[in-house]
Amino acid sequence: MKKFVAILLTLMLVLGMTAAVAEPVTTDNPYTDMPTITLTKTYNLTNAGTISPAETFAFSALTCTDVADAGVGVTTANAPVPTIGNVTYAQGEAGSANMTKTITITLPTYTAVGKYTYTFSEVDGKTAGVTYRPDAIKLVVTVIEQNGKVRVAAVHTEKEGEKSGNFENTYSAGTLKVTKTVTGNLGDKDKEFDFTVTFTKPEGKNWDMDGIVLPIGATKVSDGKYSFKLKHGATAEFKNLPYGVSYVVEEADYSSEGYTITEKAGDNSSINAPETTAAFTNSKTGTIDTGVTTESLPYVVLMGFVVLAGAALLLKRKAHNN
């Protein structure tokens, strides 16, 4: 009796396994090995010490551009389409321990075998200083049938025949240094000179100017415009200026005080390097009035001798008369 029960259980198990293997694929019981794909996003800094703005990297909707070896009736128009999520970074996360995050692509349900090709692209967020991936991205999903079930067999992204699952973005910002030099024998090296600098965002870009790191003592005049003071040997540094930002540095007019600008360099340009310098040199010179010029000195000395000689002669005569 025990042997009969064991044989019966074995037979039932075999029949159950056979039925499971032979179960056909229908729209009611789809099977997907890879429900999602995880790609890598890396947000870098060009220059250490700069602070990236908060940024959300988004992607366009995927479009099916080709279907090969697919089931009957499957075309690019009716093929299932994956969806892709965004990646968000907080301020300052570029170049930090959180610089690497993931992009999730959610695959649809495939009910037919085939090689499905999709294209999508990264959306240009128009943030000043941030580089975006300009080229289209290709996603290929290969679906095969195995043991009566449809599954995703291979997924990869591809750029011009180059396979990559990593997407990189970079934030580039630099520093503007304004320097002051005073020359001339009447130049006051303790005098503070008034300056203003005006920053303008690149055309077609977005920029939160509150991200500028100001030098000590600088004050905001209006959006993008700041005032500050410099004396001889001093430097004002405006940091975290995105690449492409243009600037104009102006010094107040001190000609009424006898100062002339003898050198002015780099006062009107744009930020495209880790450090950019705008240098100003003022000079004030004049003739020093000592009361007696060196040209008349010999005559003065001669007159002195004449006076002394005359005085000596008078004293001698006075002594002789006495």
Side-chain angles (χ1 to χ4, degrees):
M1 183 65 179
K2 291 183 179 180
K3 289 184 178 180
F4 175 76
V5 172
I7 293 171
L8 181 61
L9 290 174
T10 301
L11 181 61
M12 291 175 63
L13 180 61
V14 171
L15 291 174
M17 290 178 62
T18 303
V21 172
E23 181 184 11
V25 175
T26 68
T27 55
D28 296 327
N29 67 336
Y31 178 89
T32 306
D33 278 341
M34 299 174 64
T36 60
I37 310 163
T38 300
L39 305 176
T40 303
K41 165 74 74 177
T42 305
Y43 195 14
N44 300 301
L45 283 179
T46 298
N47 302 313
T50 54
I51 304 170
S52 61
E55 180 76 10
T56 295
F57 295 98
F59 300 88
S60 66
L62 280 78
T63 302
C64 185
T65 56
D66 185 63
V67 176
D69 302 320
V72 177
V74 180
T75 66
T76 56
N78 61 21
V81 179
T83 58
I84 186 168
N86 299 332
V87 184
T88 299
Y89 285 85
Q91 183 184 41
E93 284 196 316
S96 71
N98 296 322
M99 64 186 292
T100 301
K101 298 191 178 187
T102 58
I103 308 165
T104 300
I105 298 178
T106 302
L107 297 179
T109 298
Y110 292 94
T111 58
V113 299
K115 184 177 180 182
Y116 299 81
T117 301
Y118 306 90
T119 59
F120 64 101
S121 59
E122 185 172 55
V123 176
D124 186 345
K126 305 295 183 182
T127 301
V130 178
T131 58
Y132 301 89
R133 181 170 177 150
D135 55 288
I137 305 162
K138 184 164 68 174
L139 172 69
V140 179
V141 180
T142 302
V143 181
I144 65 172
E145 183 153 347
Q146 183 175 332
N147 296 329
K149 296 181 179 182
V150 178
R151 72 174 188 175
V152 178
V155 179
H156 67 268
T157 58
E158 192 173 323
K159 170 191 171 185
E160 299 297 332
E162 175 184 317
K163 297 179 182 180
S164 174
N166 183 49
F167 300 90
E168 295 186 1
N169 297 82
T170 303
Y171 177 68
S172 303
T175 298
L176 172 65
K177 293 184 175 182
V178 183
T179 64
K180 181 66 180 175
T181 303
V182 177
T183 62
N185 55 4
L186 293 179
D188 184 356
K189 294 188 176 181
D190 292 321
K191 177 180 175 61
E192 290 187 323
F193 295 79
D194 291 312
F195 286 83
T196 61
V197 59
T198 303
F199 298 107
T200 305
K201 64 183 180 181
E203 185 176 356
K205 295 290 186 178
N206 303 316
W207 178 37
D208 182 0
M209 296 182 182
D210 290 338
I212 301 175
V213 179
L214 302 176
I216 296 175
T219 58
K220 183 177 180 179
V221 178
S222 59
D223 286 344
K225 186 173 184 178
Y226 303 88
S227 64
F228 57 101
K229 297 178 182 292
L230 286 178
K231 63 181 182 179
H232 172 75
T235 300
E237 296 188 6
F238 293 84
K239 300 179 179 180
N240 208 44
L241 301 170
Y243 279 15
V245 166
S246 59
Y247 65 88
V248 176
V249 183
E250 296 178 289
E251 183 185 37
D253 185 3
Y254 290 92
S255 58
S256 62
E257 299 181 26
Y259 286 93
T260 59
I261 298 178
T262 58
E263 182 182 355
K264 186 169 63 172
D267 60 308
N268 187 353
S269 188
S270 60
I271 306 298
N272 288 295
E275 290 186 358
T276 303
T277 300
F280 287 75
T281 300
N282 291 61
S283 179
K284 183 177 181 179
T285 59
T287 302
I288 301 176
D289 186 359
T290 61
V292 178
T293 64
T294 55
E295 289 81 359
S296 62
L297 185 59
Y299 302 101
V300 173
V301 173
L302 181 59
M303 287 297 293
F305 278 121
V306 171
V307 172
L308 289 174
L313 181 59
L314 289 174
L315 290 173
K316 185 176 182 182
R317 285 182 180 180
K318 185 176 180 180
H320 183 268
N321 291 335
N322 293 334

